[in-house]
Amino acid sequence: MWNKVHTLYDKKSKTYQKRYSVDFPLTGLLRCPECGHSMVMNRSTWKLKDGTKRVAHYYICSQNRTKGTAACHANGIRKEKAEDPKSIESIIIPLLPFFAM
């Protein structure tokens, strides 16, 4: 019986592929400036006139992503800008005293 259950379980279980191949190390650490919920990964893709595809990666408010603008109006921030060492230094260093409590 135990083997039958495990065989059935193995057949039905799936391993999901990552949705994005790009790492987003600040997911969950950044907070939305409007509602305070966590910022999550997002991407936008579009085609240029010459037919090439462009992709932009963003951090956006999790409430905005799941519930739309009815929940939060905050815009996203480009991944490159959010992860820039100068941006991190200007945002995180002043907040360190609050995390030490």
Side-chain angles (χ1 to χ4, degrees), residues 55-74:
V55 178
H57 297 94
Y58 294 92
Y59 287 98
I60 64 167
C61 175
S62 59
Q63 290 295 316
N64 182 288
R65 183 170 180 187
T66 57
K67 298 177 183 173
T69 55
C72 181
H73 294 87

Side-chain angles (χ1 to χ4, degrees), residues 30-68:
L30 294 178
R31 295 289 171 184
C32 173
E34 185 176 311
C35 69
H37 282 85
S38 63
M39 303 282 280
V40 295
M41 57 190 153
N42 194 32
R43 74 174 171 202
S44 294
T45 57
W46 65 93
K47 237 183 217 183
L48 298 175
K49 288 182 181 179
D50 63 0
T52 58
K53 202 176 203 183
R54 294 288 312 234
V55 178
H57 297 94
Y58 294 92
Y59 287 98
I60 64 167
C61 175
S62 59
Q63 290 295 316
N64 182 288
R65 183 170 180 187
T66 57
K67 298 177 183 173

Side-chain angles (χ1 to χ4, degrees), residues 67-80:
K67 298 177 183 173
T69 55
C72 181
H73 294 87
N75 292 323
I77 182 171
R78 280 258 174 131
K79 178 184 183 300
E80 296 81 23

Side-chain angles (χ1 to χ4, degrees), residues 11-23:
K11 283 184 184 178
K12 291 188 175 210
S13 65
K14 297 178 187 178
T15 54
Y16 293 97
Q17 291 182 340
K18 286 175 78 174
R19 188 172 188 179
Y20 303 112
S21 60
V22 179
D23 288 332

Side-chain angles (χ1 to χ4, degrees), residues 95-101:
L95 295 176
L96 286 178
F98 296 106
F99 291 114
M101 294 162 108

